Amino acid sequence: MEYSKTYVAKDEHIDVQEIMDGLYYPFYMEYCRHDYIREILGFDFETEAKNGIYMVLSGYTISFIRSLKRGDEFKVTCTLYKDKEGLPKLHFKQTIVCNNKLMTQAVFTGTCVPATGGRPYLPASVLEKITDAPVLEQ
């Protein structure tokens, strides 16, 4: 299932070249991904942190194809994938699209860890919601 949110490039994110600084693309993807995790997976970062469960990124790859400009309205998408090897990882394929053109694409990988330290895992509440998710073939 593809999830999406719409944003507008903020003036303070525009650099001297009049394009959005590359630093901010992952932030917009994070906003969308966190909303997906909260709304669809039912995992609230603040509540779960208080319960001793941290959801963290373990890596990401990103490709910049075109640049966003001041005031551009754009859509950020997020699609969840399970791990091919059955590891306790969540993979999120994400894109930024503006005027029906692909601007940026990325894959973010995350997992959960106990706040007290320990091995990565996915809580049962998350596992039950991802049973039908496709597997990331990468």
Side-chain angles (χ1 to χ4, degrees):
M1 168 185 117
E2 183 179 270
Y3 177 90
S4 67
K5 292 276 186 163
T6 301
Y7 304 94
V8 174
K10 296 180 179 180
D11 286 349
E12 61 266 25
H13 297 165
I14 304 302
D15 67 17
V16 297
Q17 302 173 95
E18 294 298 319
I19 58 176
M20 191 159 77
D21 188 302
L23 168 71
Y24 293 103
Y25 294 76
F27 279 107
Y28 285 104
M29 291 176 161
E30 178 181 285
Y31 304 150
C32 180
R33 189 173 61 255
H34 280 205
D35 285 348
Y36 174 90
I37 290 167
R38 186 178 52 260
E39 293 172 21
I40 306 302
L41 297 183
F43 186 99
D44 181 270
F45 284 89
E46 187 174 343
T47 301
E48 297 298 344
K50 288 177 184 173
N51 292 331
I53 302 169
Y54 295 164
M55 186 177 284
V56 297
L57 284 179
S58 57
Y60 69 91
T61 59
I62 190 166
S63 297
F64 299 96
I65 295 133
R66 294 179 181 86
S67 296
L68 289 166
K69 296 178 178 68
R70 181 183 322 276
D72 277 351
E73 183 175 280
F74 57 94
K75 179 173 80 168
V76 180
T77 68
C78 182
T79 305
L80 172 72
Y81 290 82
K82 294 188 285 193
D83 190 73
K84 181 169 115 172
E85 297 171 9
L87 296 173
K89 295 180 179 182
L90 300 172
H91 304 283
F92 300 92
K93 278 192 175 182
Q94 295 193 255
T95 63
I96 294 178
V97 176
C98 182
N99 297 322
N100 295 315
K101 292 182 181 175
L102 181 63
M103 309 302 275
T104 308
Q105 59 188 7
V107 176
F108 290 82
T109 299
T111 190
C112 292
V113 294
T116 55
R119 300 194 57 77
Y121 74 102
L122 295 176
S125 61
V126 171
L127 286 171
E128 69 186 26
K129 295 208 171 105
I130 67 167
T131 55
D132 295 332
V135 171
L136 182 65
E137 299 291 339
Q138 232 183 337

